[in-house]
């Protein structure tokens, strides 16, 4: 597998099939990919719907189920760990991210050499959310950006592309999916922001609220800032025998 699409989902049964169809249409010229849904303890037929699709018309679809809800970050983490692709694409299960943008983000990822840490982050330039929700995001993104200096205007956008090996080097914690660009930069990686489309939610309702975002956000920003301050990076050189030596030790 070259590309794995990882989608965390909770109570999104009506959005599953339309989104899968759109992803397959967007990747019609990409023969080697998989779609991994991670059902985060849904109480509706989300998991059953994913299984029905995977056993019938969509052989690319795979299902992982949490026995109870543990959050979006853990769902993404488990999905990436099970992925067979070297390149990971994440997007939300609610259908508001447009799968037609996936090839564009993959194209931006293509020039990066193998083994380099990077993240292609979507930016929902014309968001279709309510004015109140857009205000929440602007305030949160401004505060986060000023403190963490991640130069990413919309870390809440679910549409991102990064190497599997990059993601698995990041520190795991609840809500870490909102800080992927800052954590990639902490690893010495490159973050590139690409404008993407945003759509109205067709079915279901949002799983987040203002108090939940704010309470977790303040603590998490402080934690990521601590990680940034404690990060130490060094260049390495290869010795003539093919092993690696710390560059500072070899000088």
């Amino acid at each position: 597998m070259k590309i794995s699409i990882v989608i965390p989902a909770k109570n999104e049964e009506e959005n599953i099939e339309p989104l899968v169809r759109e992803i397959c249409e967007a990747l019609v010229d990409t023969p080697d990919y998989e779609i991994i849904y991670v059902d985060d303890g849904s109480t509706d037929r989300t998991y059953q719907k994913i299984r029905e699709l995977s056993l019938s018309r969509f052989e690319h679809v795979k299902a992982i189920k949490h026995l109870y809800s543990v959050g979006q970050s853990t769902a993404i983490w488990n999905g990436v760990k099970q992925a067979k692709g070297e390149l990971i694409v994440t997007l939300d299960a609610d259908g508001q991210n447009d799968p037609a943008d996936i090839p564009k983000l993959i194209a931006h990822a293509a020039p990066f050499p193998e083994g380099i840490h990077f993240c292609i982050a979507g930016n929902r330039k014309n968001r279709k959310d309510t004015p109140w929700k857009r205000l929440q995001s602007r305030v949160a993104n401004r505060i986060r950006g000023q403190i963490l200096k991640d130069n990413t205007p919309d870390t809440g956008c679910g549409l991102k592309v990064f190497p599997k090996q990059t993601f698995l080097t990041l520190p795991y914690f609840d809500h870490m999916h909102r800080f992927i660009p800052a954590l990639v930069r902490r690893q010495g990686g490159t973050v590139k922001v690409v404008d993407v489309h945003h759509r109205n939610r067709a079915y279901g309702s949002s799983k987040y609220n203002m108090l939940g975002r704010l309470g977790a956000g303040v603590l998490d920003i402080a934690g990521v800032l601590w990680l940034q301050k404690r990060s130490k990076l060094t260049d390495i050189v290869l010795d003539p025998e093919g092993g690696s030596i710390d560059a500072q030790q070899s000088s």
Side-chain angles (χ1 to χ4, degrees), residues 1-6 76-77 79-81 83-90 105-106 108-121 160-170 176 180-181 183-185 187-192:
M1 288 290 179
K2 296 295 183 182
I3 298 172
S4 295
I5 317 293
V6 176
I76 293 174
W77 185 268
V80 173
K81 284 196 297 183
K84 296 181 179 178
E86 296 126 6
L87 195 66
I88 304 296
V89 179
T90 63
L105 269 66
I106 292 175
H108 280 282
F112 287 92
E114 184 178 352
I116 297 297
H117 296 313
F118 68 86
C119 173
I120 312 299
K160 294 181 177 70
V161 174
F162 43 78
K164 176 179 178 178
Q165 57 94 15
T166 291
F167 185 83
L168 294 180
T169 66
L170 303 181
M176 59 86 68
I180 290 176
L183 295 171
V184 169
R185 289 183 186 276
Q187 298 291 81
T190 299
V191 175
K192 187 169 187 179

Side-chain angles (χ1 to χ4, degrees), residues 1 3-9 16 19-20 23 33-39 50 54 59-65 75-85 87-91 93 164:
M1 288 290 179
I3 298 172
S4 295
I5 317 293
V6 176
I7 308 173
I16 301 299
L19 186 58
V20 168
I23 293 172
Y33 71 93
E34 64 182 355
I35 303 172
I36 300 177
Y37 266 95
V38 184
D39 175 24
I50 300 166
S54 68
E59 67 275 8
H60 296 307
V61 176
K62 299 181 179 179
I64 298 172
K65 181 176 177 59
I76 293 174
W77 185 268
N78 284 331
V80 173
K81 284 196 297 183
Q82 296 298 320
K84 296 181 179 178
L87 195 66
I88 304 296
V89 179
T90 63
L91 72 160
K164 176 179 178 178

